[in-house]
Every structure is written in C-alpha cells, then in structure tokens.
Amino acid sequence: MRTILVTGGAGYIGSHTLVELLQNTNYRVISLDNFSNSLEKTYDRIKKISPRPLETLALDLCDKTRLYEALGRIGQIDGIIHFAAYKSVPESMKEPLLYYHNNLSSLNNLLSYANDNGINHFIFSSSCSVYGNADDLPVTEESPLKKAESPYGHTKQVGEDMISFFCKSNPSFNAVLLRYFNPVGAHMSGLLGELPLNRPNNLVPIITQTAVGKNALTVFGTDYPTRDGSCIRDYIHVSDIADAHVRALHFLMEGKNASNCKVYNLGTGNGVTVLEAIASFEKVTGRTLSYGIGDRRGGDVIAIYANNTLAKKELNWVPRFGIDDMMLSAWKWQQNLELE
Ligand code: WQD
C-alpha cells in the first residue's frame, strides 16, 4: 500500500482532500497538522464521512528536527500533498515576516526531507494570487506572473520557484503546482466545511456568519472598473479542488507527467463579482443579507479568473459545482455549526 502524507490536513482544503483520498483511493493516508489555523476535531468530522483509517501527526513543519524524527518513524512515503501554510491576504499585509517564515521555511524543510528520503511525488498548494493584477483575463498557466499584491501571494510565487528550481536540480523529483482560485463552500454532507478560528477574512464565511448574525459584512469597494464596481473572483467549490488533488496524485504516481514540474489552474473559468456572489447567496437561501459598502481593501486584485482547459485536458478534471451550489453548501454548513 503506497503512503501519502498530507500536510495541513486538518485545514479547510486539506480536510476535504483527506475525505476524497479516503473515499476514492487505496492509499495509506497520513495527515500532519500543527492546528495553528484548524481544529483537531476536524479529524472526527472526516471519520464520520469516510470509514477508512486516517493516521495523524501533530507537528510544526518549521521544526526541522522534529519533522525528520516524526516522518522517519512512519516508513517510506510515496507522495506528499502540501497544504500547510497561512493564507489570509489581509493578514499577510499586517504580518509579512510571519508569512515568509511560516510558508517558506516549512516548504524548504519538507523538500529537504523529500530529497533526503527518496520521495519523488509532490503536490503544492499554490494560488491564483501568483498572477497579481493580470493584464489579460482569463489567465492561463502561461500568463505572466505580475508583482504579487500581498506577502501571501509572494510566498506562493517564491514557493513555486523553490519547487521549480528543485525539480531542475533533481530530475527524478516530480511536482504538480495547483493554483487554486477562490475555494469556497462545504462538503455536500454538511458535516465538513470551513472553520475559521478567529474572525474570517474570506468573503463566503463572512457572508454565512452575517446571515446568522455573527458578523457584519462590508463590501470592500464598489468603485472598481468592473461590471458592477465590485471585485471579480473565480469561486471554486472546495470539493472540486479536493477532487483535482486526487487526480493530480494519480497523474504523478502513474508517471503521466510529461515534465517534472507541472502547473495547473483550478478555477471554474467563471468570474463572479462580490455583489453577484451575495445575490447568489440570497437567491439560494431566500434570505436578504444586510451589508455595508466600504473602502477598497489593500492587497486586493481587481479581477482574476481562470482558463482551466489544461487541468481538464491533462488531469481529466471538470468542476462540478456552480456558484449557487457553493453558496448553498456553505449555508448548510453554517446552519449545522449553529446546531453544535
Ligand atoms: C474575495 C473578494 C474582497 C471579505 C483568496 C484567499 C487566498 C487565495 C486567493 C487560495 C475580494 C471581497 C472579502 C469581506 C469583501 N486562495 N471581500 N468583504 O482575497 O480573493 O483571496 O483567494 O489559495 O487564500 O484568501 O479572497 O474571500 O478574502 O476576498 O468585500 O468581508 O471579496 O475584497 O474582492 P481573496 P477573499
């Protein structure tokens, strides 16, 4: 049985990917997380959805000594899916050094361990933020990477370069870089979803918390050069993102990658404005959302959405859910959280 290590497995996208791995593959699955932005009880939620055993390690990837000791005890690892990183655009604007240290030291330690232990299949959680304020939309994987608008986006650009140069120096190492657009929504069972530990920064959890009276949504700017003045994003269901990871893993493990460092956009290809996202939530829930209009938020790009034809072609990946499904699943999850 081949062994897959998932770092950040207790997190939002990591937990949904663990479910897909446990339900749809025969790999031995191990999750590593330090719970800096997640809850250990997420593993209980995963186990309710997927019966297969899930092994877990509580560990900070920035602690190289402990990392080597812990991973050395679990035997040969055949592949790594690396999610563990801080991910808030506004938080990174306030705490750049925290982001550079956490996101890049952890990656460097993990690549070092892979290099020292013959692990040759690696999937990296990257982001559409590497494109910055793109000139032409939709962006393809060949689109130029503009200057990152935030330290968060910069850590993803640097992370991609670290892996790309490592692949150049080590032809037997195979990596896939997955550039997520805006992951939103929750597992269709309603048993798993985004669990912001503090006040969330991302739009969709703020929408659902506002709907239950736990937050107050402000639209950050309606004076952008877009069809309704608010920013455009490519919202993609988290389960579609998780499905792409399983497909990328098979792609690597079966040696289907023509080169040893491949990049894929994971988006629906549909740009949705903030106001349209709010309208979708109101439509599917039948609720009217109260929100204010505020100033633009530092670090935001005006518009970004994907050309996803390469992932469709090479990973045989097709996003299944639209914005209404995403909003409804997010709302169902928020309602279940209220019952806990
Ligand atoms: C979306 C839009 C805000 C909150 C995300 C993730 C990042 C990466 C890229 C994957 C923006 C607006 C938000 C609010 C608002 N994903 N907004 N009021 O910044 O696009 O980045 O996708 O790796 O991890 O953070 O997402 O949800 O914060 O913002 O008006 O209260 O919603 O201005 O236009 P963002 P977001």
Side-chain angles (χ1 to χ4, degrees), residues 87 89 126-127 152 180-183 201-203 206 217-220 231 233 235 274 297 300:
K87 65 149 193 169
V89 168
S126 190
S127 162
Y152 162 77
Y180 315 153
F181 281 67
N182 282 55
N201 291 305
N202 291 132
L203 178 66
I206 292 172
L217 173 63
T218 299
V219 174
F220 295 140
C231 291
R233 293 290 182 274
Y235 298 98
V274 175
R297 179 176 72 175
D300 277 339

Side-chain angles (χ1 to χ4, degrees), residues 124-323:
F124 177 63
S125 167
S126 190
S127 162
C128 62
S129 34
V130 300
Y131 293 108
N133 254 316
D135 295 325
D136 301 311
L137 292 170
V139 287
T140 72
E141 291 80 357
E142 302 308 314
S143 294
L145 306 189
K146 305 287 290 295
K147 182 176 173 352
E149 293 290 323
S150 68
Y152 162 77
H154 191 212
T155 65
K156 292 302 182 180
Q157 286 180 339
V158 174
E160 289 195 358
D161 288 344
M162 285 166 67
I163 295 166
S164 163
F165 280 114
F166 180 62
C167 286
K168 285 187 175 71
S169 72
N170 187 341
S172 59
F173 186 78
N174 299 277
V176 164
L177 315 180
L178 296 177
R179 291 176 180 166
Y180 315 153
F181 281 67
N182 282 55
V184 297
H187 192 264
M188 286 310 182
S189 66
L191 299 174
L192 189 65
E194 194 162 7
L195 261 181
L197 297 192
N198 309 304
R199 188 191 187 285
N201 291 305
N202 291 132
L203 178 66
V204 173
I206 292 172
I207 285 177
T208 59
Q209 287 185 357
T210 299
V212 294
K214 285 190 167 173
N215 213 318
L217 173 63
T218 299
V219 174
F220 295 140
T222 53
D223 58 348
Y224 284 99
T226 65
R227 53 184 177 267
D228 64 15
S230 63
C231 291
I232 294 175
R233 293 290 182 274
D234 184 335
Y235 298 98
I236 173 90
H237 196 284
V238 62
S239 291
D240 279 331
I241 294 275
D243 176 52
H245 284 74
V246 176
R247 293 173 186 275
L249 191 60
H250 288 328
F251 177 75
L252 285 179
M253 302 292 269
E254 289 158 17
K256 292 184 174 166
N257 50 310
S259 66
N260 75 332
C261 187
K262 294 287 291 179
V263 183
Y264 296 103
N265 284 339
L266 297 186
T268 62
N270 304 317
V272 171
T273 72
V274 175
L275 294 175
E276 289 166 350
I278 292 169
S280 165
F281 178 82
E282 292 182 324
K283 180 177 76 172
V284 298
T285 62
R287 302 171 78 96
T288 303
L289 203 62
S290 63
Y291 57 89
I293 305 291
D295 296 333
R296 295 181 177 191
R297 179 176 72 175
D300 277 339
V301 299
I302 300 164
I304 184 86
Y305 51 95
N307 175 318
N308 62 6
T309 50
L310 197 61
K312 285 182 176 177
K313 179 168 166 270
E314 296 188 3
L315 301 181
N316 197 22
W317 172 75
V318 181
R320 295 158 291 173
F321 304 111
I323 188 70

